[in-house]
């Protein structure tokens, strides 16, 4: 009997050698891989009703580059998780990818084991969260409510005051992390580990992961404020991270979007980077 595949993957990359090598490696790991040498046929595949569990997407491709493919996918309502695989390592590309709705950004120089771990995290998030929650609560945990927030755990949908908030899976998981621990401080590192996997080393200095987390928090706030201009439940803990509060202090959930320009006990964030509060 043929072993069932772990998941179905779309690999979009114009590098023939890389595409063939990676598809074979993923096949050996139990994945079913569909390959595309450009963005256009990949979009045609989805337009024709095709579906996969994860898209592995190159950035630089002829005619239609990876970020444009991602934008067109999201504009067409295709919410399939996307991981960028690219030789581009500058932070600006990672931020653009995440801002466009990608769940992860992995350099091609990283080992296969790293990519497999990232894929597993996404698959566990899309397929395992509800089962785990039901197991922990006797099979009834399909909804989480906190004040005006409603999270539907069975399909990763968020609502605020009855209105749908269009969150990506990663953004949903960040909101879930904070809202299931209301009034509790959640560190930058914990949020980053949720996104990238525990222990992943950021490539931009000892506190480089903070910029990544801030970008997520900024987008989440903007999405909530698009339906409620007074939304202020995501509060800052300068030099440490964030918390889901009651939204009674707009200054704590203000428009600085995680820049943490405030201070705590007279110390700036830079002074806290190497201190106990930084982690």
């Amino acid at each position: 009997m043929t072993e069932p595949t772990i998941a179905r993957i779309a690999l979009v990359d114009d590098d023939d050698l890389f595409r063939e090598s990676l598809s074979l490696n993923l096949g050996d790991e139990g994945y079913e891989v569909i390959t595309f040498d450009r963005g256009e046929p990949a979009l045609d595949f989805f337009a024709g009703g095709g579906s996969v569990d994860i898209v592995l997407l190159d950035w630089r491709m002829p005619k239609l580059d990876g970020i444009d493919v991602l934008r067109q996918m999201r504009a067409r309502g295709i919410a399939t998780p996307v991981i960028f695989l690219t030789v581009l390592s500058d932070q600006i590309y990672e931020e653009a990818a995440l801002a466009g709705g990608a769940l992860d950004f992995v350099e091609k120089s990283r080992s296969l084991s790293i990519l497999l771990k990232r894929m597993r995290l996404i698959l566990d998030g899309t397929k395992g969260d509800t089962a785990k929650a039901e197991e922990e609560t006797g099979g009834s945990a399909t909804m989480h409510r906190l004040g005006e927030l409603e999270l539907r755990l069975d399909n990763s949908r968020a609502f605020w005051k009855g209105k749908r908030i269009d969150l990506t899976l990663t953004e949903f998981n960040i909101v879930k992390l904070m809202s299931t621990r209301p009034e509790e401080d959640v560190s930058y590192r914990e949020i980053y580990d949720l996104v990238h996997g525990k222990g992943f080393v950021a490539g931009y200095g000892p506190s480089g992961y903070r910029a990544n987390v801030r970008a997520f928090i900024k987008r989440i706030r903007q999405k909530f404020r698009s339906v409620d201009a007074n939304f202020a439940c995501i509060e800052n803990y300068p030099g440490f991270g964030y918390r889901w509060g009651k939204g009674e202090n707009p200054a704590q959930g203000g428009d600085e979007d995680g820049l943490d320009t405030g201070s705590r006990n007279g110390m700036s964030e830079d002074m806290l980077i190497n201190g106990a509060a930084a982690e």
Side-chain angles (χ1 to χ4, degrees):
M1 180 180 295
T2 303
E3 290 293 325
T5 58
I6 298 174
R8 200 176 193 208
I9 308 298
L11 172 58
V12 189
D13 197 302
D14 66 322
D15 185 327
D16 295 339
L17 182 60
F18 178 82
R19 190 176 63 251
E20 180 180 0
S21 175
L22 180 57
S23 64
L24 289 173
N25 286 332
L26 292 176
D28 289 342
E29 296 292 333
Y31 291 93
E32 177 185 350
V33 185
I34 306 171
T35 63
F36 303 93
D37 62 355
R38 290 172 294 113
E40 293 89 339
L43 291 172
D44 290 342
F45 167 80
F46 289 116
S51 65
V52 295
D53 296 289
I54 296 176
V55 176
L56 302 178
L57 185 59
D58 187 23
W59 189 292
R60 286 180 173 168
M61 295 184 291
K63 295 185 179 179
L64 198 64
D65 61 21
I67 196 68
D68 287 330
V69 172
L70 175 59
R71 288 167 180 161
Q72 290 198 31
M73 286 177 60
R74 297 303 183 243
R76 299 178 188 185
I78 302 167
T80 307
V82 170
I83 299 176
F84 267 96
L85 281 179
T86 177
V87 297
L88 302 173
S89 58
D90 290 347
Q91 184 173 347
I92 187 174
Y93 294 106
E94 180 177 4
E95 291 177 350
L98 296 175
L103 291 192
D104 213 335
F105 187 94
V106 180
E107 294 179 39
K108 287 184 176 179
S109 61
R110 303 302 294 270
S111 66
L112 176 65
S113 62
I114 293 294
L115 176 61
L116 292 173
K117 180 177 180 180
R118 304 293 186 80
M119 292 167 61
R120 188 73 263 170
L121 286 168
I122 290 176
L123 292 170
D124 288 346
T126 55
K127 298 179 179 179
D129 281 354
T130 300
K132 181 179 179 181
E134 290 180 352
E135 179 181 348
E136 292 175 347
T137 58
S140 61
T142 59
M143 190 82 70
H144 169 67
R145 291 189 178 92
L146 179 65
E148 300 288 354
L149 177 68
E150 178 181 299
L151 299 181
R152 298 181 183 177
L153 305 178
D154 56 342
N155 58 10
S156 301
R157 297 289 183 261
F159 295 82
W160 179 258
K161 296 185 176 180
K163 297 181 179 179
R164 167 79 179 273
I165 307 297
D166 188 20
L167 300 177
T168 67
L169 176 62
T170 299
E171 292 166 350
F172 178 88
N173 286 334
I174 291 173
V175 170
K176 183 175 71 172
L177 171 66
M178 292 190 294
S179 66
T180 53
R181 293 160 50 181
E183 303 296 324
E184 180 181 337
D185 299 316
V186 182
S187 70
Y188 288 104
R189 186 76 235 187
E190 186 172 357
I191 296 173
Y192 190 85
D193 286 346
L194 175 69
V195 175
H196 292 283
K198 190 172 180 61
F200 177 69
V201 179
Y204 309 106
S207 61
Y209 57 86
R210 297 185 184 205
N212 185 273
V213 172
R214 289 167 183 157
F216 274 111
I217 295 297
K218 179 177 181 178
R219 290 197 304 277
I220 292 170
R221 281 176 170 160
Q222 289 173 339
K223 290 181 177 182
F224 274 91
R225 288 171 183 164
S226 69
V227 301
D228 179 5
N230 296 318
F231 174 81
C233 286
I234 299 179
E235 300 175 352
N236 305 315
Y237 187 163
F240 184 85
Y242 301 92
R243 68 170 73 89
W244 190 277
K246 298 179 180 178
E248 296 173 350
N249 185 0
Q252 283 294 304
D255 293 330
E256 45 67 52
D257 290 317
L259 293 178
D260 291 334
T261 53
S263 61
R264 180 162 57 89
N265 296 330
M267 293 184 288
S268 69
E269 179 183 344
D270 290 339
M271 295 172 64
L272 288 166
I273 287 176
N274 295 316
E279 296 300 325

